[in-house]
Amino acid sequence: MANRFVVDVSGLKLAKGVDAKLAGTIQQAVLKAIAETHTEPQLVLKFPKDWLGLVAHIDQAQIAAVEKQVAGMMR
């Protein structure tokens, strides 16, 4: 099973811009943790347009499929 972490705060009423701030904070934490592990082989990163998040994968050809799969789970 792939490591997948989801944070769903859709039930909260957030002030304008807080969702983007939360996304940035979460992305920063994940990127920092990945950098500290010195992951090999190198990772491909994608920040999706349609949802706030981050996709990290070792195979660039798989990024679109993973992004689509996650987006489908959010509907």
Side-chain angles (χ1 to χ4, degrees), residues 31-44:
L31 290 172
K32 181 180 180 212
I34 289 172
E36 289 173 352
T37 66
H38 305 288
T39 304
E40 291 291 337
Q42 292 186 355
L43 295 173
V44 179

Side-chain angles (χ1 to χ4, degrees), residues 32-69:
K32 181 180 180 212
I34 289 172
E36 289 173 352
T37 66
H38 305 288
T39 304
E40 291 291 337
Q42 292 186 355
L43 295 173
V44 179
L45 300 175
K46 170 101 191 263
F47 296 91
K49 286 189 217 175
D50 297 332
W51 47 274
L52 296 172
L54 165 70
V55 178
H57 205 285
I58 59 171
D59 183 358
Q60 185 170 3
Q62 296 295 316
I63 290 283
V66 172
E67 182 179 2
K68 185 176 180 181
Q69 181 184 25

Side-chain angles (χ1 to χ4, degrees), residues 13-24:
K13 196 169 195 174
L14 300 174
K16 185 177 180 180
V18 172
D19 56 348
K21 183 176 180 179
L22 283 173

Side-chain angles (χ1 to χ4, degrees), residues 6-35:
V6 177
V7 178
D8 182 350
V9 294
S10 61
L12 301 177
K13 196 169 195 174
L14 300 174
K16 185 177 180 180
V18 172
D19 56 348
K21 183 176 180 179
L22 283 173
T25 301
I26 292 167
Q27 289 169 346
Q28 182 181 23
V30 171
L31 290 172
K32 181 180 180 212
I34 289 172

